[in-house]
Amino acid sequence: MPLYGIQIAFKDYKITRGIEGSNWSDPWYKWFLNFFTDPYFGRLLKNTFMISGLTILFGFPAPIIFALFLNEMRSAKVKKVIQTVSFLPYFISMVAFVSLVTEFLSPSTGLSADILKFFGKEPIYFLGDAKY
């Protein structure tokens, strides 16, 4: 049953009839033939290999280089902050992460505003001012 839906690739599937009610394609490889003879097939195949190759080329060494740079940092506090910030999106969703950053940088209720007010400075709207 896990591959039950794979039948759709060999049928003239109609959503109103469902998988069982749809007729088998004639020939059975009709949709594969359609895909491989499409004029955009070459471009699609090239783009797929390009994206995969670039992902391997840049995506594989990047975390290793980042780890080596992080390992060479002298300040343990800065190192821990960078580690926490770089791994935070893996533990909480990006929406929650952006919401936290927005709240911290808010000029009226954010942590940055409270710190600046404590030192007698005016709050800065970091997310709304182009120079920041």
Side-chain angles (χ1 to χ4, degrees):
M1 290 312 275
L3 296 175
Y4 175 73
I6 203 166
Q7 295 177 48
I8 294 174
F10 304 99
K11 291 190 170 199
D12 289 322
Y13 179 70
K14 303 286 185 229
I15 196 166
T16 54
R17 293 183 186 173
I19 294 175
E20 289 296 321
S22 296
N23 298 328
W24 291 97
S25 295
D26 185 34
W28 63 269
Y29 54 87
K30 171 183 168 184
W31 300 115
F32 294 94
L33 187 64
N34 186 24
F35 176 69
F36 290 120
T37 57
D38 189 274
Y40 292 107
F41 175 73
R43 184 189 303 179
L44 183 130
L45 191 64
K46 183 185 93 173
N47 288 346
T48 300
F49 281 116
M50 288 287 292
I51 290 170
S52 298
L54 291 172
T55 300
I56 290 170
L57 185 67
F58 294 109
F60 178 71
I64 296 169
I65 293 168
F66 179 68
L68 290 172
F69 283 145
L70 205 55
N71 190 48
E72 295 299 320
M73 293 200 70
R74 295 183 183 185
S75 173
K77 289 181 181 180
V78 173
K79 183 178 179 178
K80 287 182 181 184
V81 168
I82 292 173
Q83 280 178 326
T84 302
V85 169
S86 64
F87 280 101
L88 201 56
Y90 294 102
F91 295 110
I92 62 172
S93 74
M94 191 54 70
V95 174
F97 180 71
V98 170
S99 297
L100 285 172
V101 169
T102 304
E103 285 300 316
F104 285 144
L105 297 178
S106 171
S108 56
T109 60
L111 181 64
S112 65
D114 292 340
I115 292 170
L116 289 170
K117 286 177 189 173
F118 178 78
F119 288 109
K121 306 261 186 195
E122 283 294 314
I124 301 170
Y125 190 29
F126 290 104
L127 299 176
D129 195 346
K131 71 178 181 180
Y132 296 107

